[in-house]
Amino acid sequence: MRRFARVLPVIGMSGMGLAGLGVCLPAMAQSTEITVATVNNPDMVTMQSMMSAFHQAHPDIKVNWVTLPENELRQKVTTDIASGAGQYDVVTVSNYETPIWAQNDWLKPLDEDLPEDYDVDDLLAPVKEGLSVDGELYALPFYAESSVTYYRKDLFEKAGIEMPEKPTWDQMKEFASKIHSPSDGVYGICLRGLPGWGQNMALFGTMVNSFGGRWFDMDWTPQLDSPEWKNAANAYVELLNDYGPPGVTSNGFTESETLFANGQCGMWVDSTVAASYVSDPDTSKVAEDVGFAQAPYQTTEKGSNWLFTWALAVPQSSQHQDAAETFIEWATSKDYINAVADEKGWLSVPPGTRQSTYDSADYKQAAPFAPLVEKAISSASPTDPSAQEVPYTGVQFVTIPQFQAIGTRVGQLMAAMLSGQQSVDDALSQGQAFTERLMQQTGKPQ
Amino acid sequence: MRTQSGNALLGILAWLVALAIFFPILWLLLTAFKTEQEAFSVDPTFWFMPTLESFKTALAQGSGYWHYAWNSALTAVASTIIGLALAVPAAYAMAFYPNKRTDFLLVWMVSTKFIPAVGVLIPIFLVYKTVGLLDHALGLTLLFTAMNLPIIVWMVYSYFRDIPKDIVEAADIDGASVLQTLFKVVLPLALPGLASTGLLALILAWNESFWSITMTDHRAATLAVYIASFKSAEGLFWAKMSAASVLAIAPIIVLGWFTQRQMVRGLTFGAVK
């Protein structure tokens, strides 16, 4: 209020009375109001629609939502926390920024305050690890995903081939060649081609790992010009150019998902969250014929499937930390999962976070792909992502602040490579030069 | 003969340009009535079974459309009124009592528009944080006012310049005070211009998205924030987002429709010297 008084004379000088314009101060409410910053993904939409359950249990906490596209949200939240503005009490973060922000002292450590019945040991180990620094949790997982291979059982049968439990990229190419039939509107394989560190680079990052490559050596020297990167890039380009859909550089997750659900892809390697969409007859034309396998590998299984977690955290700048913690404990609890299952069915529960979800007989019955998803998430290895030694953690990303810029740039080069604007060698040497320069400018991580 | 065919060609060209400008809005309108699957379809369709599903979602309880619309209306109207109230005296002084610095001052004011908004984001964000204006309707109103003020001053100034100075001098000789001259002589003459200036400022403030998205969260969030909230990295959202956009632009388009005669008159006012 006092701060406000300082600007009032300025407005007064303009000779305009603002009273009549209805600009009024926020009403002093009895209850605590918290602001939750989040994205518009389907599981978050479900969370917003479950709010009456939260209000019943906690009538004294009022929740306001700020929903923004992912990149805008990340920028706004970063500005807010770094400047200490404290507009947000709960922020939606991933396992990419959680360790970085925790080390900046931006997020509140959560272990101490978690109640007994939260059952923190029920959280899947790689998911929990990705949100912890030195064994301390800084965010609670809301849902998590890994990558798997989706394929068309009917097309495989017709071609007389069989999908192994975990195929190699060489096999993927062979299978693609056998089922590729553009005249029937079926492309051998769909993969992400849309540039972005969270789009094509999520998939391509796992390819590099499985070809034995790594982003940096132990001295933080970029390795993009290594033979492993070249092999992975050649395999990626050949697969998509020979057996991919047209215009693949504009296909991200959603576009590929739609193509697969429309029956236009023979195989598709992507996020586990698509499993329920492609096997639901209401949304997918191929629901009956979807087969699942683990994500492909080549020379090593290490880092061949990614791990991405959407989690809820409380910024240190929040003025309502207790209420905020109450909220994130509720939204990531077993009770929440059960409440969603009761109200909307088991296919709508946020996947990938709790062992108890995967132990539930009801869930297994509703989601036949559940064991596969659980296996993919549990086998993801963020702390050991490459056959070679690495100084970083993260499967499809590197948990350093510079990675967002690096991943974005290299993602653009990959797209240029796919569309034939650049050769594999040129694209990789440019990526190498860009990464070297950026690391020099910003200094190596400690 | 030659001029006639020339006119016809010009007419066709005008229609083509108008169509090109209007097409995105038409497509937005069509998409808003499609299902998500149709909206996303690779083969665009013009003929389909319209559905109101997306509008239902966009207007559903909890989507907060009215909350955002109110904030948009409040900040746009308030910033336009404040802007005009500040600009009219300034333009009056510059138009009728110019001195040797007037031209420089005008150019300097407009030059503030050359800086990209993001260039001043951090200082403004920090100041707003300190004075407590983040996520506040007043904060956004002041920003919109500052954003539009150079344009308003410039436009009002050029309308005033078109009024013969003799009229002002005659009023002076008749013993009218400055305020009397302004309100009884100058403003009535410049009214069409003022109306179109106000309308333009209103539209610019209504459509503003950069500051709205960065400086507000919930309390003072405008329709720009509302539209942005429909974008998603997972799942289909084009139809819902189109419906939300249609709802967001509808009020200003209707306003523009009803005032278009005034607007055109104002914008071409003084075009012939």
Side-chain angles (χ1 to χ4, degrees):
Chain A
M1 291 290 260
R2 210 153 46 81
R3 285 172 177 174
F4 198 77
R6 278 184 233 152
V7 284
L8 271 179
V10 181
I11 302 148
M13 275 191 293
S14 75
M16 288 294 305
L18 278 169
L21 298 171
V23 180
C24 50
L25 292 168
M28 286 301 190
Q30 293 278 313
S31 61
T32 314
E33 253 184 61
I34 60 170
T35 303
V36 179
T38 192
V39 291
N40 194 35
N41 291 358
D43 285 292
M44 279 71 169
V45 176
T46 305
M47 169 161 65
Q48 294 186 35
S49 70
M50 293 296 292
M51 286 319 290
S52 56
F54 179 74
H55 289 312
Q56 258 171 20
H58 304 280
D60 54 330
I61 302 176
K62 186 178 178 302
V63 180
N64 292 325
W65 298 93
V66 177
T67 311
L68 283 174
E70 195 176 325
N71 286 340
E72 278 84 347
L73 183 82
R74 198 171 277 122
Q75 276 161 14
K76 275 198 80 168
V77 170
T78 316
T79 323
D80 184 83
I81 301 183
S83 70
Q87 296 284 302
Y88 308 118
D89 303 297
V90 172
V91 291
T92 306
V93 288
S94 74
N95 52 337
Y96 166 64
E97 54 270 270
T98 301
I100 303 172
W101 290 8
Q103 276 158 0
N104 288 350
D105 234 357
W106 286 359
L107 302 177
K108 188 176 187 298
L110 299 166
D111 275 330
E112 273 175 27
D113 304 318
L114 288 176
E116 189 74 13
D117 63 0
Y118 184 77
D119 197 1
V120 74
D121 295 325
D122 185 42
L123 301 176
L124 296 178
V127 172
K128 196 173 137 195
E129 261 168 39
L131 302 173
S132 305
V133 173
D134 299 329
E136 179 106 43
L137 260 177
Y138 284 85
L140 302 179
F142 182 59
Y143 75 90
E145 58 170 70
S146 183
S147 52
V148 286
T149 306
Y150 300 96
Y151 69 100
R152 288 274 300 280
K153 286 192 288 195
D154 54 334
L155 298 179
F156 269 60
E157 208 170 302
K158 217 168 80 186
I161 43 179
E162 204 171 318
M163 178 65 91
E165 198 193 333
K166 190 169 177 75
T168 64
W169 282 106
D170 282 344
Q171 284 174 318
M172 294 293 280
K173 194 174 167 187
E174 189 196 319
F175 298 155
S177 72
K178 291 192 174 147
I179 50 180
H180 184 64
S181 175
S183 51
D184 303 326
V186 177
Y187 301 95
I189 186 163
C190 294
L191 296 172
R192 295 185 187 186
L194 184 73
W197 72 272
Q199 289 285 2
N200 60 353
M201 289 314 291
L203 175 93
F204 187 69
T206 62
M207 280 187 82
V208 168
N209 293 336
S210 73
F211 275 76
R214 55 183 172 171
W215 277 96
F216 297 99
D217 70 5
M218 292 305 283
D219 292 326
W220 288 101
T221 310
Q223 301 292 308
L224 278 74
D225 53 1
S226 63
E228 292 88 357
W229 271 77
K230 272 177 203 161
N231 294 341
N234 279 321
Y236 176 66
V237 172
E238 279 167 25
L239 253 178
L240 285 176
N241 282 352
D242 294 350
Y243 310 114
V248 71
T249 48
S250 51
N251 291 356
F253 167 76
T254 310
E255 292 79 7
S256 309
E257 182 183 54
T258 311
L259 280 176
F260 190 87
N262 265 332
Q264 290 174 281
C265 308
M267 296 183 290
W268 176 40
V269 181
D270 215 308
S271 165
T272 51
V273 297
S276 47
Y277 186 88
V278 296
S279 36
D280 180 348
D282 285 343
T283 48
S284 167
K285 288 182 191 161
V286 294
E288 296 297 310
D289 299 315
V290 185
F292 304 92
Q294 294 296 325
Y297 73 107
Q298 188 65 17
T299 60
T300 172
E301 289 193 18
K302 274 191 187 176
S304 60
N305 53 315
W306 72 62
L307 179 70
F308 194 80
T309 312
W310 275 119
L312 301 170
V314 179
Q316 291 280 19
S317 56
S318 159
Q319 306 291 314
H320 312 288
Q321 298 192 354
D322 289 342
E325 270 186 71
T326 308
F327 176 76
I328 65 172
E329 280 161 19
W330 170 80
T332 59
S333 66
K334 286 183 202 169
D335 289 347
Y336 173 80
I337 291 173
N338 290 329
V340 175
D342 283 347
E343 203 163 302
K344 301 177 190 292
W346 275 99
L347 276 180
S348 297
V349 304
T353 56
R354 286 180 170 274
Q355 188 61 49
S356 52
T357 308
Y358 291 95
D359 291 344
S360 152
D362 291 333
Y363 186 53
K364 276 189 254 185
Q365 202 190 347
F369 46 81
L372 177 106
V373 173
E374 186 200 349
K375 191 171 173 195
I377 291 176
S378 317
S379 68
S381 51
T383 49
D384 185 20
S386 170
Q388 306 178 62
E389 230 184 331
V390 291
Y392 56 83
T393 60
V395 180
Q396 78 282 27
F397 51 70
V398 178
T399 44
I400 53 170
Q402 294 94 326
F403 182 76
Q404 223 174 304
I406 296 172
T408 303
R409 180 69 194 125
V410 178
Q412 288 162 349
L413 290 167
M414 292 294 128
M417 195 175 80
L418 262 189
S419 61
Q421 286 167 307
Q422 265 183 327
S423 70
V424 168
D425 286 351
D426 281 353
L428 289 180
S429 68
Q430 276 190 34
Q432 171 78 7
F434 177 85
T435 312
E436 274 171 8
R437 202 166 52 238
L438 195 84
M439 294 306 282
Q440 256 166 19
Q441 282 165 357
T442 52
K444 287 174 187 171
Q446 299 305 307
Chain B
M1 239 0 233
R2 183 173 282 176
T3 46
Q4 235 175 24
S5 62
N7 275 344
L9 263 177
L10 218 59
I12 293 169
L13 196 70
W15 271 102
L16 283 178
V17 171
L19 202 68
I21 294 173
F22 177 66
F23 186 77
I25 297 174
L26 173 73
W27 195 248
L28 181 78
L29 206 64
L30 288 177
T31 308
F33 290 98
K34 290 179 181 176
T35 64
E36 289 293 355
Q37 273 75 15
E38 284 163 346
F40 193 77
S41 154
V42 191
D43 318 308
T45 41
F46 280 92
W47 303 115
F48 55 89
M49 198 60 178
T51 165
L52 285 174
E53 212 44 50
S54 300
F55 284 97
K56 270 188 215 154
T57 319
L59 281 173
Q61 217 175 8
S63 79
Y65 171 75
W66 297 107
H67 168 78
Y68 296 108
W70 162 247
N71 280 330
S72 275
L74 173 68
T75 51
V77 170
S79 68
T80 304
I81 294 175
I82 301 175
L84 280 172
L86 290 171
V88 165
Y92 184 80
M94 286 193 276
F96 297 112
Y97 306 99
N99 58 29
K100 59 182 183 206
R101 281 186 297 274
T102 299
D103 282 346
F104 168 77
L105 204 63
L106 271 167
V107 174
W108 174 75
M109 274 201 298
V110 175
S111 74
T112 58
K113 297 289 291 177
F114 299 166
I115 315 170
V118 70
V120 289
L121 171 63
I122 294 187
I124 291 185
F125 186 90
L126 293 176
V127 169
Y128 268 39
K129 187 198 134 204
T130 316
V131 298
L133 279 178
L134 282 177
D135 199 15
H136 203 293
L138 177 60
L140 212 55
T141 304
L142 291 177
L143 269 173
F144 289 168
T145 310
M147 173 184 87
N148 285 339
L149 202 51
I151 299 169
I152 305 180
V153 172
W154 191 278
M155 282 181 73
V156 175
Y157 168 79
S158 62
Y159 294 129
F160 283 179
R161 281 286 299 267
D162 288 335
I163 297 168
K165 231 176 168 181
D166 306 346
I167 298 181
V168 178
E169 276 163 13
D172 268 351
I173 290 164
D174 287 345
S177 69
V178 173
L179 280 181
Q180 277 173 329
T181 315
L182 176 65
F183 283 107
K184 298 211 165 133
V185 180
V186 175
L187 283 188
L189 282 170
L191 204 58
L194 284 181
S196 57
T197 309
L199 204 61
L200 188 73
L202 199 70
I203 292 170
L204 287 175
W206 183 280
N207 290 342
E208 207 287 329
S209 69
F210 176 77
W211 292 108
S212 310
I213 289 180
T214 37
M215 305 305 262
T216 68
D217 294 300
H218 174 79
R219 200 151 33 100
T222 64
L223 286 168
V225 182
Y226 167 79
I227 296 175
S229 72
F230 283 89
K231 192 178 169 195
S232 165
E234 290 170 15
L236 302 171
F237 57 86
W238 292 115
K240 284 194 274 292
M241 201 160 162
S242 302
S245 303
V246 168
L247 289 170
I249 62 172
I252 209 78
I253 284 191
V254 170
L255 185 72
W257 192 272
F258 280 118
T259 52
Q260 67 176 318
R261 180 174 303 203
Q262 188 70 264
M263 182 98 177
V264 171
R265 198 177 142 211
L267 287 175
T268 51
F269 185 70
V272 183
K273 299 271 170 187

